[in-house]
Amino acid sequence: MTIDQAVFLVGGTGSRLNELTAAKAKPALEVGGRPFLDYLLDEASRHGIRRALLLCGYRAHDLIRAYDGCTLRGMRIEALVEPSPAGTAGALALAADRLDDQFFLVNGDSLFDFNWLALCPSPDMPWTGLVRMALAGGIAGTRYGRVGLEGRQVRSFVASGASDQPINAGVYLMRKTILPRIGALPCSLERDVLPALAADGLIEGSVVEAPFIDIGIPEDFVRAQSLVPSILKRPAAFLDRDGVLNEDTGYVHRIDQVRWVEGAREAVRWLNDAGYFVFICTNQAGIARGYYSENHVNDLHDWMNVELRKVGAHIDDVEFCPYHPEGVVERYRRISDLRKPGPGMLKKLMAQWPVDLAGSFMIGDRDSDVEAAAAAGIPGHLFPGGNLLEFVRKISPQRRRTADCG
Ligand SMILES: [Mg+2]
């Protein structure tokens, strides 16, 4: 099952932030120097989402002007406006002809730092209901409603209060067949639709202990200014490709040549779950040598991400170096700092993403990988072969977590 669409609920009035939202839609408010929605869209695009649909209402023009028709790293963004306030479920019903059969639904005023693809069905976790929801565990305080679970089944939604039950983290995997369950408008997802689905055993929950913040009240909006950028500044695992993710059989550039290293896909999943960025940095001198083109390499990496999704894993970004000083293709024949042992590819990724160097590392199967890491200022680990997941678990520093996100 591929899930290519993320739908964002961005139509609320934000009445609890009154002076601020009088002048701007809540998801467009600046948090840590950027509109809050930018962070959520970044999250969607790095998880491989191709299309984002913004369900706008209050001050829709703020969001349309900033986002409608834009593209973010290959993800197309479109906005839809409800003619009158329809509620969260109502907004979804009005978007019926724009929805995929399965999609992520994301609250536009909260951020949960977890692996979205962990909600996707897999052979050992098939999906029979209508909704899978992310639940944040370990959240203290009385502000949020709580979710009652029996195993993975969501059974009830409980009024706000202190409890060790998890809270609704505002990210759902949903089937379009939820639409007939939405009643007369306005209709609220949280109040009207989800409790009835839970009673019918159609919602599963996945509890993750990870940072969560909701910008909906003034006190948390203030906290979010520093907390959101700090949550999203993650350490990164820079992975060489050939000899680390796939067996190095020489100039691999076609799908039929890929033999995954044992535990490689599971290692990427483990890093995703632990909150690392996962990047590939690979020398591709075969392009300079005229064996294959940049398109071959891009297509192969797209396919690798499709395969990784089957285990709930993804690569956040890829850099490859097509240059070689002895290339036969003239435009690729040159010395380049991008080519390992140069640190250029790592540095490029560090400039484009909010990477926390503390805790970041590189894994490669050659000395040139380790040298590139050193030149970029991070540890490099030589992978001797065997099971990559076991190796990653041994060398990955304990992932730092931002405390007190309740
Ligand atoms: Mg290699």
Side-chain angles (χ1 to χ4, degrees), residues 75-157:
M75 181 179 77
R76 175 92 180 153
I77 306 171
E78 290 183 337
L80 193 63
V81 186
E82 60 193 4
S84 61
T88 43
L92 206 53
L94 292 170
D97 61 355
R98 306 280 284 273
L99 299 177
D100 286 0
D101 288 344
Q102 294 94 22
F103 54 90
F104 285 105
L105 183 73
V106 184
N107 281 353
D109 55 3
S110 60
L111 173 79
F112 188 44
D113 175 26
F114 86 115
N115 175 12
W116 290 20
L117 302 183
L119 293 178
C120 296
S122 60
D124 46 325
M125 217 176 65
W127 182 28
T128 53
L130 291 181
V131 177
R132 263 197 181 154
M133 58 191 294
L135 303 173
I139 304 289
T142 56
R143 180 176 164 204
Y144 302 106
R146 302 281 166 171
V147 178
L149 278 175
E150 244 175 64
R152 295 184 58 82
Q153 286 293 322
V154 171
R155 290 297 180 199
S156 58
F157 293 88

Side-chain angles (χ1 to χ4, degrees), residues 240-244 248 365-366 369:
D240 172 39
R241 196 192 75 188
D242 300 330
V244 174
D248 188 354
D365 66 329
R366 296 196 183 183
D369 296 311

Side-chain angles (χ1 to χ4, degrees), residues 17-324:
L17 295 178
N18 40 54
E19 299 102 69
L20 288 168
T21 48
K24 211 177 237 184
K26 182 161 58 169
L29 291 174
E30 296 243 329
V31 169
R34 300 174 73 197
F36 183 70
L37 185 55
D38 280 16
Y39 297 104
L40 300 181
L41 292 168
D42 274 351
E43 288 298 286
S45 78
R46 78 184 186 88
H47 282 96
I49 298 299
R50 312 299 296 180
R51 282 168 299 112
L53 179 62
L54 310 182
L55 302 184
C56 307
Y58 176 71
R59 291 192 64 92
H61 52 280
D62 292 339
L63 300 168
I64 290 169
R65 198 171 47 225
Y67 299 103
D68 193 27
C70 295
T71 300
L72 172 69
R73 280 188 295 275
M75 181 179 77
R76 175 92 180 153
I77 306 171
E78 290 183 337
L80 193 63
V81 186
E82 60 193 4
S84 61
T88 43
L92 206 53
L94 292 170
D97 61 355
R98 306 280 284 273
L99 299 177
D100 286 0
D101 288 344
Q102 294 94 22
F103 54 90
F104 285 105
L105 183 73
V106 184
N107 281 353
D109 55 3
S110 60
L111 173 79
F112 188 44
D113 175 26
F114 86 115
N115 175 12
W116 290 20
L117 302 183
L119 293 178
C120 296
S122 60
D124 46 325
M125 217 176 65
W127 182 28
T128 53
L130 291 181
V131 177
R132 263 197 181 154
M133 58 191 294
L135 303 173
I139 304 289
T142 56
R143 180 176 164 204
Y144 302 106
R146 302 281 166 171
V147 178
L149 278 175
E150 244 175 64
R152 295 184 58 82
Q153 286 293 322
V154 171
R155 290 297 180 199
S156 58
F157 293 88
V158 190
S160 55
S163 151
D164 51 13
Q165 288 174 309
I167 67 167
N168 178 353
V171 183
Y172 313 81
L173 180 64
M174 241 174 224
R175 292 189 204 275
K176 189 179 178 178
T177 45
I178 193 175
L179 294 182
R181 306 290 301 235
I182 298 173
L185 309 191
C187 182
S188 158
L189 193 65
E190 296 84 352
R191 278 192 308 277
D192 305 325
V193 179
L194 294 182
L197 292 182
D200 291 348
L202 294 172
I203 308 182
E204 291 165 65
S206 180
V207 184
V208 183
E209 290 207 12
F212 172 83
I213 188 157
D214 177 332
I215 62 166
I217 59 171
E219 185 191 331
D220 284 348
F221 183 76
V222 169
R223 279 187 341 124
Q225 299 300 322
S226 60
L227 196 52
V228 167
S230 93
I231 288 171
L232 295 179
K233 185 168 177 167
R234 301 180 174 86
F238 296 87
L239 306 179
D240 172 39
R241 196 192 75 188
D242 300 330
V244 174
L245 290 174
N246 55 278
E247 305 285 353
D248 188 354
T249 49
Y251 298 109
V252 170
H253 64 283
R254 291 194 318 266
I255 290 166
D256 63 285
Q257 296 169 316
V258 174
R259 289 207 315 266
W260 290 95
V261 163
E262 188 192 350
R265 284 164 286 190
E266 294 75 13
V268 175
R269 167 71 193 260
W270 188 91
L271 290 162
N272 294 149
D273 286 348
Y276 287 88
F277 285 123
V278 183
F279 301 130
I280 291 177
C281 296
T282 175
N283 285 350
Q284 290 298 326
I287 298 170
R289 296 189 191 280
Y291 300 155
Y292 48 87
S293 71
E294 293 199 38
N295 286 342
H296 286 110
V297 174
N298 285 321
D299 289 349
L300 186 70
H301 293 156
D302 286 346
W303 175 83
M304 288 178 95
N305 251 330
V306 169
E307 291 299 298
L308 285 165
R309 274 183 158 218
K310 294 176 182 169
V311 296
H314 76 277
I315 300 291
D316 289 293
D317 207 349
V318 177
E319 282 293 329
F320 62 85
C321 175
Y323 306 110
H324 193 280

